[in-house]
Amino acid sequence: MKKTIITLDGHSGCGKSTLAKLLAKELNFLYIDTGAMYRAISLFFLESKQILKNGKLNSDFKNTLDSVNIDFSKPNENGESWVRLNGEIVEDKIRNIEISNLVSEISKNALVRNKMVLIQQSYSAISNLIMDGRDIGSVVFPDADIKFWVTASAEKRAYRRWLEYKQKGKNISIQQVTQNINFRDENDQNRKVSPLIKPINSIIIDSTDMNIEQTFNFALTHIQNYLKK
Ligand code: DC
């Protein structure tokens, strides 16, 4: 049977992964966090010392690409699963400012993107899906059943990310977070391969002045109306 695919795209820190997780739990869909995949492959290149001082990949990186395996752990009873790099759960190693600063440059690379997109598409054979990222409704699944474009002001996004770091006990200034958000917005929107765009026919969710419950109810109503048809 054809699987239902729901995509969420948007800038860094707009709340799409929080929303995606809640929707996946409610609907019992598989949630795939594609940002985590780009973070995991950045960690691979960092640990294997393939990132040059200017943040670009060295020319040998192509030879190691085949040896990188990125997938997700089996969902637990709460539907949560974590990204794995060559079999190891790397969730804790990828959520820091060092990886956040590297990932934009790595995710510009066409070979890296091709590999990630193939893995992402393969999940549609397994389960109904909620997938979030930057190019999901535009490139990975342009014919998805429902596409959301999640947005919020840059100030609000930086504040939310800063709060997340703080709650995890990570000591970082709001200025550093703002700088990183602006830098990634710029890179994500202007890269040559699969830039961040609002996907055609996507439904806008502007979460600047909405709390998570409001965005959740808004998205869920759309999905339920669609599934009823
Ligand atoms: O969602 P996130 O902040 O964890 O994503 C990390 C980076 O990965 C983001 O700056 C851009 C990149 N990314 C991408 O290029 N394409 C995707 N589908 C998902 C993320």
Side-chain angles (χ1 to χ4, degrees):
M1 207 172 103
K2 187 186 165 292
K3 308 293 185 210
T4 301
I5 298 172
I6 299 171
T7 67
L8 292 94
D9 289 291
H11 292 102
S12 301
C14 64
K16 58 188 181 309
S17 59
T18 308
L19 176 59
K21 275 183 215 160
L22 288 172
L23 291 171
K25 192 168 180 206
E26 177 71 23
L27 299 162
N28 200 18
F29 279 24
L30 178 66
Y31 166 56
I32 299 290
D33 173 356
T34 64
M37 297 172 67
Y38 286 96
R39 286 172 181 271
I41 200 158
S42 300
L43 176 69
F44 169 80
F45 290 130
L46 177 70
E47 288 183 336
S48 54
K49 302 198 180 355
Q50 298 189 78
I51 303 180
L52 304 172
K53 285 219 167 68
N54 60 8
K56 296 197 187 308
L57 286 165
N58 72 16
S59 51
D60 288 342
F61 87 94
K62 297 182 195 87
N63 304 330
T64 58
L65 211 49
D66 280 348
S67 70
V68 190
N69 185 24
I70 293 192
D71 65 359
F72 288 82
S73 62
K74 239 174 108 189
N76 65 15
E77 63 279 6
N78 291 321
E80 297 165 319
S81 67
W82 286 275
V83 72
R84 297 192 299 196
L85 171 62
N86 292 334
E88 181 199 352
I89 292 178
V90 288
E91 187 63 30
D92 286 345
K93 292 186 182 172
I94 59 170
R95 307 282 172 197
N96 56 55
I97 200 79
E98 186 181 15
I99 295 293
S100 295
N101 282 330
L102 294 173
V103 65
S104 271
E105 188 58 45
I106 305 297
S107 58
K108 277 184 196 168
N109 189 286
L111 291 176
V112 170
R113 295 204 78 81
N114 289 346
K115 183 176 172 99
M116 296 299 110
V117 169
L118 287 177
I119 300 171
Q120 290 153 12
Q121 289 172 335
S122 72
Y123 281 103
S124 68
I126 303 173
S127 172
N128 292 325
L129 278 184
I130 304 247
M131 189 174 281
D132 76 351
R134 305 296 192 287
D135 60 343
I136 312 305
S138 55
V139 174
V140 183
F141 292 116
D143 299 322
D145 296 84
I146 304 180
K147 306 194 234 182
F148 290 110
W149 171 249
V150 192
T151 180
S153 72
E155 293 75 27
K156 204 57 178 272
R157 292 187 285 119
Y159 175 72
R160 287 183 189 144
R161 264 289 144 92
W162 173 77
L163 215 59
E164 259 172 41
Y165 279 123
K166 213 175 142 199
Q167 280 159 357
K168 285 185 189 157
K170 292 188 179 155
N171 189 15
I172 178 167
S173 71
I174 189 126
Q175 287 81 0
Q176 275 175 291
V177 179
T178 306
Q179 226 174 26
N180 175 260
I181 290 249
N182 290 338
F183 170 74
R184 287 200 289 147
D185 283 359
E186 181 71 20
N187 271 282
D188 294 348
Q189 287 166 177
N190 296 310
R191 66 175 173 233
K192 289 202 186 81
V193 195
S194 312
L196 170 65
I197 53 161
K198 177 184 174 301
I200 295 169
N201 294 332
S202 55
I203 299 155
I204 299 172
I205 303 179
D206 184 342
S207 70
T208 308
D209 297 315
M210 280 163 101
N211 63 28
I212 187 61
E213 199 184 341
Q214 290 167 317
T215 56
F216 172 74
N217 288 334
F218 177 87
L220 188 63
T221 303
H222 266 284
I223 298 168
Q224 284 171 336
N225 287 340
Y226 174 86
L227 294 177
K228 261 189 241 152
K229 281 184 201 156

PDB file of all heavy atoms in Angstrom, residues 172-200:
ATOM      1  N   ILE A 172      26.342  28.919  26.340  1.00  0.00           N
ATOM      2  CA  ILE A 172      26.615  29.597  25.074  1.00  0.00           C
ATOM      3  C   ILE A 172      25.799  30.885  25.062  1.00  0.00           C
ATOM      4  O   ILE A 172      24.684  30.925  25.578  1.00  0.00           O
ATOM      5  CB  ILE A 172      26.263  28.661  23.886  1.00  0.00           C
ATOM      6  CG1 ILE A 172      26.493  29.355  22.559  1.00  0.00           C
ATOM      7  CG2 ILE A 172      24.864  28.111  23.952  1.00  0.00           C
ATOM      8  CD1 ILE A 172      26.462  28.410  21.376  1.00  0.00           C
ATOM      9  N   SER A 173      26.381  31.961  24.484  1.00  0.00           N
ATOM     10  CA  SER A 173      25.659  33.243  24.520  1.00  0.00           C
ATOM     11  C   SER A 173      24.628  33.300  23.398  1.00  0.00           C
ATOM     12  O   SER A 173      24.769  32.630  22.370  1.00  0.00           O
ATOM     13  CB  SER A 173      26.647  34.405  24.375  1.00  0.00           C
ATOM     14  OG  SER A 173      27.127  34.418  23.053  1.00  0.00           O
ATOM     15  N   ILE A 174      23.625  34.145  23.604  1.00  0.00           N
ATOM     16  CA  ILE A 174      22.598  34.290  22.576  1.00  0.00           C
ATOM     17  C   ILE A 174      23.216  34.885  21.304  1.00  0.00           C
ATOM     18  O   ILE A 174      22.799  34.561  20.190  1.00  0.00           O
ATOM     19  CB  ILE A 174      21.386  35.106  23.089  1.00  0.00           C
ATOM     20  CG1 ILE A 174      20.235  35.071  22.083  1.00  0.00           C
ATOM     21  CG2 ILE A 174      21.732  36.541  23.393  1.00  0.00           C
ATOM     22  CD1 ILE A 174      18.936  34.617  22.616  1.00  0.00           C
ATOM     23  N   GLN A 175      24.279  35.695  21.471  1.00  0.00           N
ATOM     24  CA  GLN A 175      24.943  36.273  20.291  1.00  0.00           C
ATOM     25  C   GLN A 175      25.568  35.174  19.423  1.00  0.00           C
ATOM     26  O   GLN A 175      25.484  35.217  18.194  1.00  0.00           O
ATOM     27  CB  GLN A 175      26.060  37.263  20.685  1.00  0.00           C
ATOM     28  CG  GLN A 175      25.578  38.580  21.215  1.00  0.00           C
ATOM     29  CD  GLN A 175      25.170  38.512  22.699  1.00  0.00           C
ATOM     30  OE1 GLN A 175      25.247  37.465  23.339  1.00  0.00           O
ATOM     31  NE2 GLN A 175      24.715  39.641  23.228  1.00  0.00           N
ATOM     32  N   GLN A 176      26.190  34.200  20.086  1.00  0.00           N
ATOM     33  CA  GLN A 176      26.808  33.100  19.321  1.00  0.00           C
ATOM     34  C   GLN A 176      25.738  32.321  18.555  1.00  0.00           C
ATOM     35  O   GLN A 176      25.940  31.935  17.404  1.00  0.00           O
ATOM     36  CB  GLN A 176      27.519  32.130  20.271  1.00  0.00           C
ATOM     37  CG  GLN A 176      28.931  32.526  20.634  1.00  0.00           C
ATOM     38  CD  GLN A 176      29.459  31.541  21.673  1.00  0.00           C
ATOM     39  OE1 GLN A 176      29.003  31.517  22.823  1.00  0.00           O
ATOM     40  NE2 GLN A 176      30.395  30.712  21.268  1.00  0.00           N
ATOM     41  N   VAL A 177      24.605  32.095  19.221  1.00  0.00           N
ATOM     42  CA  VAL A 177      23.527  31.328  18.581  1.00  0.00           C
ATOM     43  C   VAL A 177      22.967  32.133  17.403  1.00  0.00           C
ATOM     44  O   VAL A 177      22.749  31.593  16.314  1.00  0.00           O
ATOM     45  CB  VAL A 177      22.408  30.984  19.596  1.00  0.00           C
ATOM     46  CG1 VAL A 177      21.299  30.209  18.924  1.00  0.00           C
ATOM     47  CG2 VAL A 177      22.969  30.173  20.747  1.00  0.00           C
ATOM     48  N   THR A 178      22.759  33.436  17.614  1.00  0.00           N
ATOM     49  CA  THR A 178      22.216  34.294  16.550  1.00  0.00           C
ATOM     50  C   THR A 178      23.149  34.285  15.345  1.00  0.00           C
ATOM     51  O   THR A 178      22.717  34.161  14.196  1.00  0.00           O
ATOM     52  CB  THR A 178      22.044  35.746  17.070  1.00  0.00           C
ATOM     53  OG1 THR A 178      21.269  35.689  18.255  1.00  0.00           O
ATOM     54  CG2 THR A 178      21.361  36.629  16.056  1.00  0.00           C
ATOM     55  N   GLN A 179      24.442  34.406  15.639  1.00  0.00           N
ATOM     56  CA  GLN A 179      25.446  34.410  14.563  1.00  0.00           C
ATOM     57  C   GLN A 179      25.361  33.115  13.751  1.00  0.00           C
ATOM     58  O   GLN A 179      25.378  33.125  12.530  1.00  0.00           O
ATOM     59  CB  GLN A 179      26.817  34.481  15.212  1.00  0.00           C
ATOM     60  CG  GLN A 179      27.729  35.492  14.576  1.00  0.00           C
ATOM     61  CD  GLN A 179      29.007  35.582  15.405  1.00  0.00           C
ATOM     62  OE1 GLN A 179      29.394  34.629  16.090  1.00  0.00           O
ATOM     63  NE2 GLN A 179      29.658  36.716  15.332  1.00  0.00           N
ATOM     64  N   ASN A 180      25.273  31.996  14.460  1.00  0.00           N
ATOM     65  CA  ASN A 180      25.213  30.696  13.794  1.00  0.00           C
ATOM     66  C   ASN A 180      23.927  30.542  12.977  1.00  0.00           C
ATOM     67  O   ASN A 180      23.955  30.048  11.847  1.00  0.00           O
ATOM     68  CB  ASN A 180      25.342  29.570  14.829  1.00  0.00           C
ATOM     69  CG  ASN A 180      25.169  28.200  14.198  1.00  0.00           C
ATOM     70  OD1 ASN A 180      24.112  27.597  14.280  1.00  0.00           O
ATOM     71  ND2 ASN A 180      26.198  27.726  13.499  1.00  0.00           N
ATOM     72  N   ILE A 181      22.817  31.013  13.519  1.00  0.00           N
ATOM     73  CA  ILE A 181      21.526  30.917  12.807  1.00  0.00           C
ATOM     74  C   ILE A 181      21.600  31.755  11.523  1.00  0.00           C
ATOM     75  O   ILE A 181      21.220  31.302  10.445  1.00  0.00           O
ATOM     76  CB  ILE A 181      20.374  31.419  13.711  1.00  0.00           C
ATOM     77  CG1 ILE A 181      20.134  30.436  14.854  1.00  0.00           C
ATOM     78  CG2 ILE A 181      19.111  31.711  12.907  1.00  0.00           C
ATOM     79  CD1 ILE A 181      18.853  29.655  14.841  1.00  0.00           C
ATOM     80  N   ASN A 182      22.115  32.982  11.638  1.00  0.00           N
ATOM     81  CA  ASN A 182      22.200  33.864  10.453  1.00  0.00           C
ATOM     82  C   ASN A 182      23.117  33.263   9.395  1.00  0.00           C
ATOM     83  O   ASN A 182      22.820  33.273   8.204  1.00  0.00           O
ATOM     84  CB  ASN A 182      22.719  35.260  10.836  1.00  0.00           C
ATOM     85  CG  ASN A 182      21.687  36.010  11.656  1.00  0.00           C
ATOM     86  OD1 ASN A 182      20.500  35.692  11.601  1.00  0.00           O
ATOM     87  ND2 ASN A 182      22.130  36.993  12.427  1.00  0.00           N
ATOM     88  N   PHE A 183      24.227  32.712   9.864  1.00  0.00           N
ATOM     89  CA  PHE A 183      25.205  32.106   8.962  1.00  0.00           C
ATOM     90  C   PHE A 183      24.584  30.920   8.221  1.00  0.00           C
ATOM     91  O   PHE A 183      24.709  30.773   6.998  1.00  0.00           O
ATOM     92  CB  PHE A 183      26.409  31.665   9.806  1.00  0.00           C
ATOM     93  CG  PHE A 183      27.412  30.821   9.091  1.00  0.00           C
ATOM     94  CD1 PHE A 183      28.271  31.371   8.154  1.00  0.00           C
ATOM     95  CD2 PHE A 183      27.517  29.455   9.365  1.00  0.00           C
ATOM     96  CE1 PHE A 183      29.200  30.571   7.496  1.00  0.00           C
ATOM     97  CE2 PHE A 183      28.436  28.658   8.705  1.00  0.00           C
ATOM     98  CZ  PHE A 183      29.282  29.218   7.768  1.00  0.00           C
ATOM     99  N   ARG A 184      23.837  30.092   8.967  1.00  0.00           N
ATOM    100  CA  ARG A 184      23.246  28.915   8.325  1.00  0.00           C
ATOM    101  C   ARG A 184      22.093  29.284   7.397  1.00  0.00           C
ATOM    102  O   ARG A 184      21.934  28.702   6.332  1.00  0.00           O
ATOM    103  CB  ARG A 184      22.816  27.895   9.382  1.00  0.00           C
ATOM    104  CG  ARG A 184      24.042  27.216   9.970  1.00  0.00           C
ATOM    105  CD  ARG A 184      23.719  25.915  10.624  1.00  0.00           C
ATOM    106  NE  ARG A 184      22.977  26.090  11.851  1.00  0.00           N
ATOM    107  CZ  ARG A 184      22.062  25.242  12.284  1.00  0.00           C
ATOM    108  NH1 ARG A 184      21.745  24.181  11.563  1.00  0.00           N
ATOM    109  NH2 ARG A 184      21.456  25.429  13.431  1.00  0.00           N
ATOM    110  N   ASP A 185      21.296  30.288   7.789  1.00  0.00           N
ATOM    111  CA  ASP A 185      20.216  30.761   6.904  1.00  0.00           C
ATOM    112  C   ASP A 185      20.802  31.159   5.554  1.00  0.00           C
ATOM    113  O   ASP A 185      20.320  30.763   4.498  1.00  0.00           O
ATOM    114  CB  ASP A 185      19.531  32.017   7.479  1.00  0.00           C
ATOM    115  CG  ASP A 185      18.573  31.693   8.621  1.00  0.00           C
ATOM    116  OD1 ASP A 185      18.425  30.506   8.952  1.00  0.00           O
ATOM    117  OD2 ASP A 185      17.987  32.645   9.168  1.00  0.00           O
ATOM    118  N   GLU A 186      21.864  31.963   5.650  1.00  0.00           N
ATOM    119  CA  GLU A 186      22.532  32.489   4.452  1.00  0.00           C
ATOM    120  C   GLU A 186      23.023  31.339   3.566  1.00  0.00           C
ATOM    121  O   GLU A 186      22.770  31.301   2.364  1.00  0.00           O
ATOM    122  CB  GLU A 186      23.713  33.345   4.960  1.00  0.00           C
ATOM    123  CG  GLU A 186      24.556  34.027   3.917  1.00  0.00           C
ATOM    124  CD  GLU A 186      23.813  35.167   3.245  1.00  0.00           C
ATOM    125  OE1 GLU A 186      22.835  35.660   3.810  1.00  0.00           O
ATOM    126  OE2 GLU A 186      24.226  35.524   2.113  1.00  0.00           O
ATOM    127  N   ASN A 187      23.701  30.382   4.193  1.00  0.00           N
ATOM    128  CA  ASN A 187      24.239  29.238   3.443  1.00  0.00           C
ATOM    129  C   ASN A 187      23.137  28.349   2.880  1.00  0.00           C
ATOM    130  O   ASN A 187      23.193  27.933   1.726  1.00  0.00           O
ATOM    131  CB  ASN A 187      25.101  28.374   4.366  1.00  0.00           C
ATOM    132  CG  ASN A 187      26.522  28.838   4.378  1.00  0.00           C
ATOM    133  OD1 ASN A 187      27.280  28.567   3.445  1.00  0.00           O
ATOM    134  ND2 ASN A 187      26.884  29.573   5.400  1.00  0.00           N
ATOM    135  N   ASP A 188      22.141  28.047   3.709  1.00  0.00           N
ATOM    136  CA  ASP A 188      21.083  27.123   3.285  1.00  0.00           C
ATOM    137  C   ASP A 188      20.288  27.701   2.109  1.00  0.00           C
ATOM    138  O   ASP A 188      19.896  26.985   1.195  1.00  0.00           O
ATOM    139  CB  ASP A 188      20.119  26.808   4.447  1.00  0.00           C
ATOM    140  CG  ASP A 188      20.792  26.019   5.569  1.00  0.00           C
ATOM    141  OD1 ASP A 188      21.905  25.520   5.365  1.00  0.00           O
ATOM    142  OD2 ASP A 188      20.191  25.899   6.657  1.00  0.00           O
ATOM    143  N   GLN A 189      20.061  29.019   2.147  1.00  0.00           N
ATOM    144  CA  GLN A 189      19.231  29.636   1.094  1.00  0.00           C
ATOM    145  C   GLN A 189      19.994  29.868  -0.198  1.00  0.00           C
ATOM    146  O   GLN A 189      19.395  29.903  -1.266  1.00  0.00           O
ATOM    147  CB  GLN A 189      18.727  31.011   1.552  1.00  0.00           C
ATOM    148  CG  GLN A 189      17.657  30.928   2.578  1.00  0.00           C
ATOM    149  CD  GLN A 189      17.398  32.256   3.263  1.00  0.00           C
ATOM    150  OE1 GLN A 189      16.523  32.331   4.080  1.00  0.00           O
ATOM    151  NE2 GLN A 189      18.137  33.297   2.955  1.00  0.00           N
ATOM    152  N   ASN A 190      21.305  30.039  -0.070  1.00  0.00           N
ATOM    153  CA  ASN A 190      22.059  30.462  -1.254  1.00  0.00           C
ATOM    154  C   ASN A 190      22.962  29.392  -1.852  1.00  0.00           C
ATOM    155  O   ASN A 190      23.683  29.657  -2.809  1.00  0.00           O
ATOM    156  CB  ASN A 190      22.885  31.719  -0.929  1.00  0.00           C
ATOM    157  CG  ASN A 190      21.961  32.866  -0.599  1.00  0.00           C
ATOM    158  OD1 ASN A 190      21.034  33.143  -1.351  1.00  0.00           O
ATOM    159  ND2 ASN A 190      22.172  33.502   0.534  1.00  0.00           N
ATOM    160  N   ARG A 191      22.937  28.188  -1.300  1.00  0.00           N
ATOM    161  CA  ARG A 191      23.817  27.162  -1.886  1.00  0.00           C
ATOM    162  C   ARG A 191      23.277  26.772  -3.270  1.00  0.00           C
ATOM    163  O   ARG A 191      22.073  26.911  -3.549  1.00  0.00           O
ATOM    164  CB  ARG A 191      23.935  25.949  -0.958  1.00  0.00           C
ATOM    165  CG  ARG A 191      22.660  25.206  -0.783  1.00  0.00           C
ATOM    166  CD  ARG A 191      22.843  23.936   0.037  1.00  0.00           C
ATOM    167  NE  ARG A 191      21.554  23.366   0.290  1.00  0.00           N
ATOM    168  CZ  ARG A 191      21.092  23.038   1.481  1.00  0.00           C
ATOM    169  NH1 ARG A 191      21.827  23.166   2.557  1.00  0.00           N
ATOM    170  NH2 ARG A 191      19.880  22.530   1.600  1.00  0.00           N
ATOM    171  N   LYS A 192      24.208  26.251  -4.102  1.00  0.00           N
ATOM    172  CA  LYS A 192      23.826  25.927  -5.486  1.00  0.00           C
ATOM    173  C   LYS A 192      22.932  24.687  -5.536  1.00  0.00           C
ATOM    174  O   LYS A 192      21.986  24.608  -6.293  1.00  0.00           O
ATOM    175  CB  LYS A 192      25.077  25.677  -6.327  1.00  0.00           C
ATOM    176  CG  LYS A 192      25.861  26.931  -6.609  1.00  0.00           C
ATOM    177  CD  LYS A 192      26.739  26.745  -7.856  1.00  0.00           C
ATOM    178  CE  LYS A 192      27.629  27.945  -8.060  1.00  0.00           C
ATOM    179  NZ  LYS A 192      28.838  27.905  -7.202  1.00  0.00           N
ATOM    180  N   VAL A 193      23.293  23.683  -4.724  1.00  0.00           N
ATOM    181  CA  VAL A 193      22.539  22.417  -4.769  1.00  0.00           C
ATOM    182  C   VAL A 193      21.405  22.442  -3.745  1.00  0.00           C
ATOM    183  O   VAL A 193      21.644  22.654  -2.554  1.00  0.00           O
ATOM    184  CB  VAL A 193      23.472  21.220  -4.424  1.00  0.00           C
ATOM    185  CG1 VAL A 193      22.815  19.900  -4.810  1.00  0.00           C
ATOM    186  CG2 VAL A 193      24.823  21.366  -5.064  1.00  0.00           C
ATOM    187  N   SER A 194      20.189  22.201  -4.209  1.00  0.00           N
ATOM    188  CA  SER A 194      19.011  22.101  -3.334  1.00  0.00           C
ATOM    189  C   SER A 194      18.935  23.195  -2.265  1.00  0.00           C
ATOM    190  O   SER A 194      18.904  22.888  -1.066  1.00  0.00           O
ATOM    191  CB  SER A 194      18.982  20.746  -2.619  1.00  0.00           C
ATOM    192  OG  SER A 194      19.194  19.711  -3.498  1.00  0.00           O
ATOM    193  N   PRO A 195      18.916  24.457  -2.660  1.00  0.00           N
ATOM    194  CA  PRO A 195      18.819  25.510  -1.634  1.00  0.00           C
ATOM    195  C   PRO A 195      17.484  25.424  -0.888  1.00  0.00           C
ATOM    196  O   PRO A 195      16.519  24.849  -1.406  1.00  0.00           O
ATOM    197  CB  PRO A 195      18.897  26.809  -2.443  1.00  0.00           C
ATOM    198  CG  PRO A 195      18.460  26.434  -3.804  1.00  0.00           C
ATOM    199  CD  PRO A 195      18.873  25.001  -4.014  1.00  0.00           C
ATOM    200  N   LEU A 196      17.482  25.997   0.288  1.00  0.00           N
ATOM    201  CA  LEU A 196      16.238  26.032   1.070  1.00  0.00           C
ATOM    202  C   LEU A 196      15.250  26.968   0.384  1.00  0.00           C
ATOM    203  O   LEU A 196      15.522  28.154   0.205  1.00  0.00           O
ATOM    204  CB  LEU A 196      16.558  26.557   2.480  1.00  0.00           C
ATOM    205  CG  LEU A 196      15.364  26.878   3.370  1.00  0.00           C
ATOM    206  CD1 LEU A 196      14.568  25.622   3.692  1.00  0.00           C
ATOM    207  CD2 LEU A 196      15.821  27.532   4.670  1.00  0.00           C
ATOM    208  N   ILE A 197      14.125  26.409  -0.025  1.00  0.00           N
ATOM    209  CA  ILE A 197      13.052  27.216  -0.623  1.00  0.00           C
ATOM    210  C   ILE A 197      11.719  26.753  -0.040  1.00  0.00           C
ATOM    211  O   ILE A 197      11.627  25.632   0.465  1.00  0.00           O
ATOM    212  CB  ILE A 197      12.975  27.081  -2.165  1.00  0.00           C
ATOM    213  CG1 ILE A 197      12.896  25.593  -2.567  1.00  0.00           C
ATOM    214  CG2 ILE A 197      14.093  27.792  -2.875  1.00  0.00           C
ATOM    215  CD1 ILE A 197      12.359  25.367  -3.966  1.00  0.00           C
ATOM    216  N   LYS A 198      10.737  27.596  -0.186  1.00  0.00           N
ATOM    217  CA  LYS A 198       9.400  27.167   0.224  1.00  0.00           C
ATOM    218  C   LYS A 198       8.902  26.211  -0.860  1.00  0.00           C
ATOM    219  O   LYS A 198       8.784  26.612  -2.019  1.00  0.00           O
ATOM    220  CB  LYS A 198       8.479  28.381   0.341  1.00  0.00           C
ATOM    221  CG  LYS A 198       7.052  28.001   0.682  1.00  0.00           C
ATOM    222  CD  LYS A 198       6.147  29.227   0.686  1.00  0.00           C
ATOM    223  CE  LYS A 198       4.698  28.838   0.893  1.00  0.00           C
ATOM    224  NZ  LYS A 198       4.139  27.930  -0.097  1.00  0.00           N
ATOM    225  N   PRO A 199       8.618  24.954  -0.532  1.00  0.00           N
ATOM    226  CA  PRO A 199       8.192  24.014  -1.578  1.00  0.00           C
ATOM    227  C   PRO A 199       6.862  24.433  -2.210  1.00  0.00           C
ATOM    228  O   PRO A 199       5.995  24.999  -1.530  1.00  0.00           O
ATOM    229  CB  PRO A 199       8.028  22.691  -0.824  1.00  0.00           C
ATOM    230  CG  PRO A 199       8.813  22.845   0.412  1.00  0.00           C
ATOM    231  CD  PRO A 199       8.746  24.296   0.775  1.00  0.00           C
ATOM    232  N   ILE A 200       6.724  24.132  -3.491  1.00  0.00           N
ATOM    233  CA  ILE A 200       5.470  24.429  -4.205  1.00  0.00           C
ATOM    234  C   ILE A 200       4.322  23.718  -3.478  1.00  0.00           C
ATOM    235  O   ILE A 200       4.473  22.559  -3.056  1.00  0.00           O
ATOM    236  CB  ILE A 200       5.564  23.922  -5.670  1.00  0.00           C
ATOM    237  CG1 ILE A 200       6.648  24.706  -6.398  1.00  0.00           C
ATOM    238  CG2 ILE A 200       4.233  24.050  -6.410  1.00  0.00           C
ATOM    239  CD1 ILE A 200       7.022  24.126  -7.738  1.00  0.00           C
TER     240      ILE A 200
END
